[in-house]
Amino acid sequence: MRKKEMIAMLLAGGQGSRLGVLTRKVAKPAVTYGGRYRIIDFPLSNCINSGVDTVGVLTQYQPLRLNQHIGIGIPWDLDKKNGGVTILAPHVKKGDAGDWFMGTANAIYQNIDFIDSNDPEYVLILSGDHIYKMDYSKMLRHHKEKNAAATIAVLEVPMEEAGRFGIMNTEEDDRIYQFEEKPKNPKSNLASMGIYIFTWSRLREALLEDNEVHVDSDFGKHIIPKMLEEGQTLYAYRFKGYWKDVGTIESYWESNMELIKALPEFNLYEDFWKIYTNNDHQPPQYTAPGAVVKESLISDGSEIYGEVHHSILGPQVVVEKGAVVRDSIIMGGTVVGAESVIDRCIIDEDCCIGKRIHMGIGENIPNETKPNIYDSGITVLGVKTTVPDDITIGKNCVIYGTTKPEDYENQKLESGKTVIREG
């Protein structure tokens, strides 16, 4: 195999627990976004648009849907003999023992053989769970000009929010002299985006050495501080553009809703930087006589007989006659029953919402089981959930599974309540 200038290692094994029931059965990078995409489509599309044609995708948590979606990489033009996309799962290394990936750097360490087989000069480390468009070739050019051991993409954030991020403190020329993880008193506002370019020989050495000390080796906690202590040259690369960590229910909902604007900050329709996805050919969308659709994104194969306002519908969603969907995200294959009202909800794939349902009404009471996840007034339904007819459901509710009338006292689920029915 010929030597590669740079390959990408895409970390896509995270559970994404802050997305609650949406990641109960799938890894966060496989969650639907913008109706027809999945979150991992964005870094994969960035790679091929940037000329990076060899990508290792590291999976771990609930990988089935992610693996099915990526396949052999055809939608991203990554079905190549020399390079392309390779799924890298935890595996037995020697004897009969194997290990889970214990940290971000440990995951790369466990796949050194894959990287060595491509013999790259540089390695691009990416997260599979952010929404953005970025030309990695420009970052690589910056890395080479600085003759850096590592280059870290950073985003300027408001100073009052800097304490929520990993912060890079830099000299005037953007050489990094210190990394602080969520500092109480930040010295700068340059937040790490979790996007790194390493000179492979330097990173390889650091991974081997750190593995002797930390079994849970992590880039932010171990590798970057180690390289700084050794006096290696690390530079910040300032990114100016849209970047969103859709790691919470509220940020996921807000980011999707931003797509609906007439001139969205994050534009999915640009011809010069397309976002590709594995999307089966669907029939055209159908809007029935008398149906109303306003300020919404409607995917192929959807059928609208009722009303849809300021919402995003995935492929093959059916909104039956008299039903109203407002300020909501409805993922593919879901049916909203006749005369139901869905307000400020996220409904996962293949759900069946009965007739005359009123969902997302009442007081904004945080969820009693997971108030730190469901506290923004958004009710969430997990994949393949069924809700029977004539039920009223409040805000910050969580519903999962095939539910029955007896799961709802007096045909009602109060705000902040949870119904989970496995199987």
Side-chain angles (χ1 to χ4, degrees):
M1 185 177 290
R2 64 181 174 83
K3 185 179 181 68
K4 298 279 185 179
E5 181 179 39
M6 184 168 75
I7 70 169
M9 299 293 281
L10 205 166
L11 301 168
Q15 180 177 357
S17 57
R18 293 179 301 159
L19 283 177
V21 74
L22 296 180
T23 52
R24 191 179 182 91
K25 294 291 185 180
V26 300
K28 179 180 172 184
V31 172
T32 298
Y33 181 85
R36 66 191 298 264
Y37 302 97
R38 297 193 186 275
I39 294 172
I40 198 169
D41 292 337
F42 295 88
L44 281 176
S45 297
N46 287 338
C47 282
I48 202 64
N49 287 332
S50 301
V52 180
D53 64 0
T54 302
V55 183
V57 179
L58 286 70
T59 64
Q60 181 157 282
Y61 173 80
Q62 295 282 11
L64 179 60
R65 190 184 296 178
L66 195 62
N67 293 350
Q68 291 173 334
H69 180 68
I70 295 172
I72 61 172
I74 292 174
W76 305 274
D77 195 27
L78 287 169
D79 53 328
K80 300 178 182 295
K81 290 182 179 180
N82 183 18
V85 65
T86 303
I87 304 295
L88 301 168
H91 56 280
V92 174
K93 291 8 174 237
K94 53 186 177 180
D96 58 357
D99 296 304
W100 292 111
F101 301 147
M102 302 297 289
T104 54
N106 176 260
I108 302 301
Y109 166 80
Q110 291 198 43
N111 287 281
I112 283 178
D113 288 348
F114 170 79
I115 300 174
D116 282 344
S117 71
N118 286 282
D119 193 22
E121 190 169 354
Y122 307 102
V123 174
L124 170 66
I125 309 293
L126 303 171
S127 171
D129 51 12
H130 298 142
I131 305 297
Y132 66 108
K133 295 179 181 179
M134 184 176 183
D135 188 345
Y136 304 132
S137 68
K138 293 181 179 179
M139 184 175 171
L140 177 60
R141 193 179 310 129
H142 178 82
H143 178 86
K144 292 161 72 174
E145 287 171 355
K146 297 294 186 180
N147 193 27
T151 299
I152 300 167
V154 296
L155 193 69
E156 293 185 27
V157 298
M159 201 67 187
E160 60 271 18
E161 295 181 18
R164 296 172 41 223
F165 299 90
I167 295 297
M168 299 295 161
N169 296 322
T170 64
E171 308 286 358
E172 288 185 4
D173 64 349
D174 281 339
R175 178 166 177 168
I176 300 167
Y177 68 85
Q178 186 183 38
F179 170 72
E180 293 183 291
E181 181 65 37
K182 298 181 180 179
K184 290 184 179 179
N185 299 299
K187 299 173 187 174
S188 85
N189 66 339
L190 297 180
S192 171
M193 298 168 64
I195 300 170
Y196 317 111
I197 291 179
F198 289 93
T199 299
W200 174 231
S201 59
R202 304 283 189 89
L203 176 59
R204 192 181 195 281
E205 182 180 353
L207 290 172
L208 291 171
E209 291 177 358
D210 196 65
N211 182 66
E212 299 296 322
V213 183
H214 304 108
V215 294
D216 60 345
S217 185
D218 181 86
F219 284 108
K221 294 177 183 177
H222 306 123
I223 299 298
I224 292 171
K226 170 184 169 61
M227 296 179 83
L228 287 172
E229 287 172 10
E230 293 172 351
Q232 298 198 49
T233 53
L234 277 70
Y235 277 87
Y237 175 77
R238 295 176 185 251
F239 174 73
K240 299 185 183 299
Y242 184 95
W243 179 86
K244 194 87 165 185
D245 181 352
V246 289
T248 67
I249 291 294
E250 185 172 18
S251 66
Y252 174 80
W253 182 86
E254 286 178 348
S255 181
N256 273 272
M257 292 298 108
E258 288 170 0
L259 299 174
I260 298 172
K261 297 177 183 177
L263 293 173
E265 183 181 355
F266 188 69
N267 190 346
L268 290 173
Y269 308 105
E270 294 170 329
D271 284 337
F272 67 93
W273 200 270
K274 290 185 178 180
I275 302 300
Y276 303 94
T277 187
N278 186 352
N279 202 21
D280 295 334
H281 292 292
Q282 305 284 352
Q285 60 177 258
Y286 174 71
T287 305
V292 175
V293 177
K294 293 185 177 179
E295 200 181 9
S296 298
L297 294 181
I298 311 296
S299 300
D300 292 347
S302 290
E303 301 175 28
I304 314 300
Y305 301 90
E307 298 183 22
V308 180
H309 302 265
H310 197 255
S311 295
I312 294 178
L313 272 57
Q316 296 188 308
V317 169
V318 178
V319 178
E320 294 185 348
K321 189 173 182 178
V324 179
V325 176
R326 295 192 193 95
D327 299 321
S328 295
I329 302 165
I330 314 292
M331 300 186 197
T334 289
V335 176
V336 179
E339 300 179 51
S340 290
V341 178
I342 310 298
D343 197 346
R344 197 176 164 89
C345 297
I346 299 174
I347 300 177
D348 210 334
E349 296 178 90
D350 300 321
C351 291
C352 184
I353 311 303
K355 304 179 189 304
R356 298 174 297 280
I357 302 292
H358 282 221
M359 188 182 301
I361 64 174
E363 295 183 68
N364 186 13
I365 300 171
N367 187 267
E368 60 183 7
T369 305
K370 295 184 176 179
N372 59 321
I373 294 178
Y374 309 102
D375 62 352
S376 53
I378 301 168
T379 282
V380 185
L381 274 63
V383 65
K384 296 184 178 179
T385 289
T386 297
V387 180
D389 298 343
D390 300 304
I391 303 295
T392 299
I393 298 167
K395 299 181 183 294
N396 294 317
C397 291
V398 181
I399 307 173
Y400 175 82
T402 303
T403 66
K404 299 179 180 180
E406 51 264 33
D407 293 318
Y408 304 90
E409 186 175 352
N410 298 320
Q411 297 181 299
K412 190 172 185 179
L413 189 67
E414 300 285 352
S415 291
K417 298 293 184 180
T418 297
V419 176
I420 302 290
R421 293 290 175 262
E422 294 289 359

